[in-house]
Amino acid sequence: MRRISYKLISLTLMLMLLVPVVAQEEEGTTSALAGYTLGLNFGYPVVTGEYFKDASGPIVGIVGNTPYGFAVGPFNVGVGFGVESFMADNAQIGVYGSVNTTLYVTPYGPVSYYGGAGYYGGLGLVGGVTFDYMVPNMPLVVKPYLRGTFMTSAAEVGDENKASYYVNIGVMALYDISTLF
């Protein structure tokens, strides 16, 4: 029963992120997939909570961004998602919805923040900072990052769920999928 309620909470939070969004249309684009990116995420924990001390391993996943977003004060916020496998005693899956915004623009690319919520065996919260490097003459963005993930239910001990966390470094590579069609 407890797992179902966490799933419902996670799904509700992800849907709440999508309700107030509006499409951001790019001029000159005709593809129905304009603005969507899809890519891979590779990371490794550098700091772990008690549950992951002896059983941490790589984080591998699929990430994406949508052309949807909204304004929050001076920030334009985009909407994305992620599905990832993280290693503990056995491979576990995390699914999250995310929002992201540019914090600072450097001559080499923007520094962005992203955060989100989803299901990691219970409620999971993610947050991190990325550097977005746009590969010249390619529809590819490479994003080295530092991110933290907090899980309300990383392990069950008796009748209790134990929370845990990890902080990882990694890289995401996102491709503009509208160029494929």
Side-chain angles (χ1 to χ4, degrees):
M1 184 70 170
R2 188 177 296 214
R3 288 194 186 279
I4 291 172
S5 64
Y6 285 131
K7 288 179 185 177
L8 289 174
I9 290 169
S10 299
L11 178 62
T12 302
L13 286 172
M14 288 171 30
L15 289 174
M16 286 172 50
L17 290 173
L18 297 176
V19 170
V21 301
V22 290
Q24 299 172 347
E25 294 187 21
E26 297 178 25
E27 290 185 28
T29 58
T30 57
S31 172
L33 298 174
Y36 286 94
T37 61
L38 190 63
L40 299 175
N41 173 24
F42 299 100
Y44 198 84
V46 291
V47 177
T48 61
E50 189 63 35
Y51 178 67
F52 297 105
K53 286 277 188 235
D54 298 325
S56 63
I59 294 118
V60 179
I62 297 171
V63 291
N65 287 312
T66 70
Y68 298 100
F70 52 94
V72 176
F75 298 104
N76 288 323
V77 179
V79 177
F81 61 91
V83 177
E84 60 190 20
S85 172
F86 57 99
M87 301 298 287
D89 292 334
N90 54 9
Q92 298 183 32
I93 302 292
V95 178
Y96 63 91
S98 64
V99 292
N100 56 70
T101 189
T102 299
L103 296 175
Y104 183 74
V105 178
T106 72
Y108 304 103
V111 175
S112 300
Y113 168 79
Y114 77 99
Y119 181 74
Y120 280 78
L123 178 62
L125 302 173
V126 298
V129 177
T130 68
F131 172 74
D132 304 351
Y133 175 73
M134 294 166 211
V135 178
N137 301 319
M138 291 184 71
L140 181 67
V141 178
V142 178
K143 298 181 167 200
Y145 68 86
L146 173 67
R147 181 185 84 182
T149 302
F150 173 79
M151 293 156 277
T152 60
S153 180
E156 290 186 23
V157 179
D159 291 336
E160 294 183 27
N161 288 326
K162 297 291 184 181
S164 195
Y165 65 92
Y166 59 84
V167 176
N168 65 299
I169 58 172
V171 65
M172 293 180 266
L174 292 158
Y175 192 82
D176 181 357
I177 60 175
S178 67
T179 62
L180 298 174
F181 304 99

